[in-house]
mmCIF file of all heavy atoms in Angstrom:
data_model
loop_
_atom_site.group_PDB
_atom_site.id
_atom_site.type_symbol
_atom_site.label_atom_id
_atom_site.label_comp_id
_atom_site.label_asym_id
_atom_site.label_seq_id
_atom_site.Cartn_x
_atom_site.Cartn_y
_atom_site.Cartn_z
ATOM 1 N N THR M 1 90.041 106.945 107.194
ATOM 2 C CA THR M 1 90.274 107.753 106.004
ATOM 3 C C THR M 1 91.507 107.209 105.297
ATOM 4 O O THR M 1 92.581 107.100 105.904
ATOM 5 C CB THR M 1 90.493 109.236 106.364
ATOM 6 O OG1 THR M 1 89.347 109.713 107.082
ATOM 7 C CG2 THR M 1 90.707 110.080 105.124
ATOM 8 N N VAL M 2 91.334 106.820 104.034
ATOM 9 C CA VAL M 2 92.426 106.310 103.203
ATOM 10 C C VAL M 2 92.319 107.009 101.854
ATOM 11 O O VAL M 2 91.228 107.052 101.297
ATOM 12 C CB VAL M 2 92.319 104.774 103.017
ATOM 13 C CG1 VAL M 2 93.363 104.264 102.049
ATOM 14 C CG2 VAL M 2 92.442 104.059 104.362
ATOM 15 N N PRO M 3 93.415 107.574 101.326
ATOM 16 C CA PRO M 3 94.744 107.599 101.903
ATOM 17 C C PRO M 3 94.753 108.383 103.221
ATOM 18 O O PRO M 3 93.899 109.235 103.464
ATOM 19 C CB PRO M 3 95.609 108.297 100.853
ATOM 20 C CG PRO M 3 94.697 108.865 99.839
ATOM 21 C CD PRO M 3 93.352 108.272 100.046
ATOM 22 N N HIS M 4 95.742 108.052 104.034
ATOM 23 C CA HIS M 4 95.827 108.683 105.343
ATOM 24 C C HIS M 4 95.946 110.195 105.171
ATOM 25 O O HIS M 4 96.753 110.675 104.387
ATOM 26 C CB HIS M 4 97.034 108.139 106.117
ATOM 27 C CG HIS M 4 97.032 108.549 107.547
ATOM 28 N ND1 HIS M 4 97.530 109.760 107.963
ATOM 29 C CD2 HIS M 4 96.595 107.917 108.657
ATOM 30 C CE1 HIS M 4 97.396 109.868 109.271
ATOM 31 N NE2 HIS M 4 96.823 108.750 109.714
ATOM 32 N N PRO M 5 95.128 110.961 105.906
ATOM 33 C CA PRO M 5 95.195 112.418 105.760
ATOM 34 C C PRO M 5 96.576 112.945 106.136
ATOM 35 O O PRO M 5 97.213 112.449 107.049
ATOM 36 C CB PRO M 5 94.135 112.937 106.741
ATOM 37 C CG PRO M 5 93.580 111.769 107.452
ATOM 38 C CD PRO M 5 94.188 110.522 106.920
ATOM 39 N N ARG M 6 97.028 113.887 105.441
ATOM 40 C CA ARG M 6 98.298 114.581 105.666
ATOM 41 C C ARG M 6 99.531 113.744 105.333
ATOM 42 O O ARG M 6 100.641 114.233 105.455
ATOM 43 C CB ARG M 6 98.393 115.123 107.105
ATOM 44 C CG ARG M 6 97.301 116.131 107.444
ATOM 45 C CD ARG M 6 97.289 116.534 108.894
ATOM 46 N NE ARG M 6 97.280 115.440 109.850
ATOM 47 C CZ ARG M 6 96.219 114.698 110.194
ATOM 48 N NH1 ARG M 6 95.053 114.926 109.648
ATOM 49 N NH2 ARG M 6 96.313 113.736 111.082
ATOM 50 N N MET M 7 99.376 112.496 104.889
ATOM 51 C CA MET M 7 100.580 111.714 104.567
ATOM 52 C C MET M 7 101.367 112.369 103.447
ATOM 53 O O MET M 7 102.581 112.261 103.400
ATOM 54 C CB MET M 7 100.246 110.256 104.230
ATOM 55 C CG MET M 7 99.553 110.041 102.908
ATOM 56 S SD MET M 7 99.321 108.290 102.493
ATOM 57 C CE MET M 7 100.949 107.853 101.906
ATOM 58 N N HIS M 8 100.668 113.069 102.560
ATOM 59 C CA HIS M 8 101.304 113.698 101.406
ATOM 60 C C HIS M 8 102.209 114.875 101.787
ATOM 61 O O HIS M 8 102.974 115.350 100.968
ATOM 62 C CB HIS M 8 100.242 114.155 100.401
ATOM 63 C CG HIS M 8 99.305 115.179 100.955
ATOM 64 N ND1 HIS M 8 98.257 114.849 101.782
ATOM 65 C CD2 HIS M 8 99.289 116.524 100.823
ATOM 66 C CE1 HIS M 8 97.614 115.948 102.119
ATOM 67 N NE2 HIS M 8 98.223 116.987 101.551
ATOM 68 N N GLU M 9 102.126 115.327 103.046
ATOM 69 C CA GLU M 9 102.964 116.440 103.479
ATOM 70 C C GLU M 9 103.898 116.061 104.622
ATOM 71 O O GLU M 9 104.463 116.928 105.281
ATOM 72 C CB GLU M 9 102.080 117.635 103.874
ATOM 73 C CG GLU M 9 101.081 117.315 104.946
ATOM 74 C CD GLU M 9 100.002 118.386 105.109
ATOM 75 O OE1 GLU M 9 99.640 119.044 104.124
ATOM 76 O OE2 GLU M 9 99.513 118.546 106.249
ATOM 77 N N ARG M 10 104.073 114.772 104.851
ATOM 78 C CA ARG M 10 104.898 114.307 105.964
ATOM 79 C C ARG M 10 106.076 113.482 105.457
ATOM 80 O O ARG M 10 105.911 112.340 105.029
ATOM 81 C CB ARG M 10 104.049 113.480 106.936
ATOM 82 C CG ARG M 10 103.017 114.343 107.633
ATOM 83 C CD ARG M 10 102.224 113.566 108.622
ATOM 84 N NE ARG M 10 101.470 114.472 109.476
ATOM 85 C CZ ARG M 10 100.569 114.080 110.341
ATOM 86 N NH1 ARG M 10 100.291 112.796 110.468
ATOM 87 N NH2 ARG M 10 99.939 114.950 111.088
ATOM 88 N N ALA M 11 107.243 114.076 105.554
ATOM 89 C CA ALA M 11 108.453 113.396 105.084
ATOM 90 C C ALA M 11 108.714 112.109 105.861
ATOM 91 O O ALA M 11 109.233 111.150 105.302
ATOM 92 C CB ALA M 11 109.659 114.336 105.180
ATOM 93 N N PHE M 12 108.330 112.056 107.129
ATOM 94 C CA PHE M 12 108.575 110.847 107.917
ATOM 95 C C PHE M 12 107.726 109.668 107.441
ATOM 96 O O PHE M 12 108.014 108.515 107.780
ATOM 97 C CB PHE M 12 108.398 111.087 109.422
ATOM 98 C CG PHE M 12 106.993 111.415 109.862
ATOM 99 C CD1 PHE M 12 106.075 110.411 110.140
ATOM 100 C CD2 PHE M 12 106.600 112.733 110.022
ATOM 101 C CE1 PHE M 12 104.787 110.707 110.559
ATOM 102 C CE2 PHE M 12 105.314 113.051 110.446
ATOM 103 C CZ PHE M 12 104.407 112.033 110.715
ATOM 104 N N VAL M 13 106.709 109.927 106.628
ATOM 105 C CA VAL M 13 105.933 108.871 105.962
ATOM 106 C C VAL M 13 106.447 108.664 104.542
ATOM 107 O O VAL M 13 106.673 107.537 104.106
ATOM 108 C CB VAL M 13 104.423 109.218 105.937
ATOM 109 C CG1 VAL M 13 103.654 108.226 105.077
ATOM 110 C CG2 VAL M 13 103.854 109.279 107.335
ATOM 111 N N LEU M 14 106.640 109.747 103.825
ATOM 112 C CA LEU M 14 107.000 109.656 102.406
ATOM 113 C C LEU M 14 108.398 109.102 102.165
ATOM 114 O O LEU M 14 108.595 108.352 101.204
ATOM 115 C CB LEU M 14 106.856 111.030 101.750
ATOM 116 C CG LEU M 14 105.431 111.558 101.692
ATOM 117 C CD1 LEU M 14 105.422 113.016 101.249
ATOM 118 C CD2 LEU M 14 104.572 110.699 100.767
ATOM 119 N N ARG M 15 109.372 109.452 102.999
ATOM 120 C CA ARG M 15 110.729 108.944 102.773
ATOM 121 C C ARG M 15 110.772 107.413 102.874
ATOM 122 O O ARG M 15 111.268 106.765 101.964
ATOM 123 C CB ARG M 15 111.734 109.590 103.704
ATOM 124 C CG ARG M 15 113.148 109.055 103.399
ATOM 125 C CD ARG M 15 114.248 109.916 103.906
ATOM 126 N NE ARG M 15 114.226 111.198 103.208
ATOM 127 C CZ ARG M 15 114.696 112.318 103.726
ATOM 128 N NH1 ARG M 15 115.224 112.331 104.920
ATOM 129 N NH2 ARG M 15 114.647 113.439 103.038
ATOM 130 N N PRO M 16 110.243 106.798 103.940
ATOM 131 C CA PRO M 16 110.266 105.327 103.958
ATOM 132 C C PRO M 16 109.357 104.696 102.901
ATOM 133 O O PRO M 16 109.687 103.646 102.349
ATOM 134 C CB PRO M 16 109.831 104.960 105.379
ATOM 135 C CG PRO M 16 109.302 106.195 105.998
ATOM 136 C CD PRO M 16 109.818 107.360 105.230
ATOM 137 N N LEU M 17 108.233 105.333 102.580
ATOM 138 C CA LEU M 17 107.356 104.813 101.526
ATOM 139 C C LEU M 17 108.081 104.856 100.185
ATOM 140 O O LEU M 17 108.069 103.861 99.438
ATOM 141 C CB LEU M 17 106.051 105.611 101.463
ATOM 142 C CG LEU M 17 105.064 105.216 100.362
ATOM 143 C CD1 LEU M 17 104.635 103.758 100.482
ATOM 144 C CD2 LEU M 17 103.848 106.149 100.396
ATOM 145 N N ALA M 18 108.727 105.963 99.876
ATOM 146 C CA ALA M 18 109.458 106.086 98.609
ATOM 147 C C ALA M 18 110.645 105.131 98.554
ATOM 148 O O ALA M 18 111.024 104.685 97.475
ATOM 149 C CB ALA M 18 109.923 107.527 98.401
ATOM 150 N N GLU M 19 111.213 104.783 99.703
ATOM 151 C CA GLU M 19 112.311 103.814 99.732
ATOM 152 C C GLU M 19 111.843 102.456 99.217
ATOM 153 O O GLU M 19 112.537 101.818 98.426
ATOM 154 C CB GLU M 19 112.857 103.659 101.153
ATOM 155 C CG GLU M 19 113.906 102.579 101.287
ATOM 156 C CD GLU M 19 114.217 102.198 102.719
ATOM 157 O OE1 GLU M 19 114.089 103.045 103.626
ATOM 158 O OE2 GLU M 19 114.585 101.030 102.937
ATOM 159 N N ILE M 20 110.677 102.004 99.666
ATOM 160 C CA ILE M 20 110.236 100.656 99.277
ATOM 161 C C ILE M 20 109.413 100.644 97.998
ATOM 162 O O ILE M 20 109.356 99.626 97.321
ATOM 163 C CB ILE M 20 109.498 99.920 100.421
ATOM 164 C CG1 ILE M 20 108.243 100.659 100.868
ATOM 165 C CG2 ILE M 20 110.438 99.671 101.589
ATOM 166 C CD1 ILE M 20 107.404 99.898 101.895
ATOM 167 N N CYS M 21 108.777 101.785 97.664
ATOM 168 C CA CYS M 21 107.984 101.845 96.434
ATOM 169 C C CYS M 21 107.819 103.293 95.991
ATOM 170 O O CYS M 21 106.791 103.923 96.292
ATOM 171 C CB CYS M 21 106.621 101.181 96.638
ATOM 172 S SG CYS M 21 105.701 101.039 95.088
ATOM 173 N N PRO M 22 108.817 103.841 95.275
ATOM 174 C CA PRO M 22 108.723 105.237 94.857
ATOM 175 C C PRO M 22 107.493 105.523 93.994
ATOM 176 O O PRO M 22 106.994 106.645 93.979
ATOM 177 C CB PRO M 22 110.011 105.484 94.075
ATOM 178 C CG PRO M 22 110.765 104.207 94.046
ATOM 179 C CD PRO M 22 110.034 103.193 94.847
ATOM 180 N N ALA M 23 106.990 104.503 93.294
ATOM 181 C CA ALA M 23 105.830 104.686 92.417
ATOM 182 C C ALA M 23 104.504 104.494 93.147
ATOM 183 O O ALA M 23 103.443 104.590 92.521
ATOM 184 C CB ALA M 23 105.917 103.722 91.238
ATOM 185 N N ALA M 24 104.538 104.233 94.466
ATOM 186 C CA ALA M 24 103.288 104.088 95.213
ATOM 187 C C ALA M 24 102.445 105.339 94.996
ATOM 188 O O ALA M 24 102.917 106.461 95.195
ATOM 189 C CB ALA M 24 103.565 103.881 96.695
ATOM 190 N N SER M 25 101.211 105.139 94.582
ATOM 191 C CA SER M 25 100.341 106.258 94.229
ATOM 192 C C SER M 25 99.439 106.635 95.396
ATOM 193 O O SER M 25 98.749 105.780 95.961
ATOM 194 C CB SER M 25 99.482 105.881 93.018
ATOM 195 O OG SER M 25 98.606 106.932 92.721
ATOM 196 N N VAL M 26 99.470 107.903 95.736
ATOM 197 C CA VAL M 26 98.544 108.451 96.717
ATOM 198 C C VAL M 26 97.408 109.065 95.898
ATOM 199 O O VAL M 26 97.603 110.104 95.259
ATOM 200 C CB VAL M 26 99.231 109.501 97.617
ATOM 201 C CG1 VAL M 26 98.245 110.062 98.634
ATOM 202 C CG2 VAL M 26 100.452 108.901 98.308
ATOM 203 N N PRO M 27 96.250 108.404 95.846
ATOM 204 C CA PRO M 27 95.168 108.860 94.969
ATOM 205 C C PRO M 27 94.880 110.355 95.110
ATOM 206 O O PRO M 27 94.751 110.879 96.212
ATOM 207 C CB PRO M 27 93.971 108.014 95.418
ATOM 208 C CG PRO M 27 94.588 106.752 95.942
ATOM 209 C CD PRO M 27 95.863 107.223 96.625
ATOM 210 N N GLY M 28 94.851 111.009 93.955
ATOM 211 C CA GLY M 28 94.551 112.422 93.917
ATOM 212 C C GLY M 28 95.719 113.333 94.253
ATOM 213 O O GLY M 28 95.580 114.560 94.228
#
């Protein structure tokens, strides 16, 4: 499943993702 389920509610994923690409789009 992509985007990974629940990534949108997990700071331990979003904080490092936003560090390297704040504009990375999680579809929907």
Side-chain angles (χ1 to χ4, degrees):
T1 302
V2 174
H4 191 276
R6 299 173 309 282
M7 71 175 281
H8 62 281
E9 57 193 31
R10 293 182 167 172
F12 66 85
V13 172
L14 294 170
R15 182 161 295 154
L17 177 59
E19 175 193 331
I20 61 174
C21 188
S25 177
V26 180

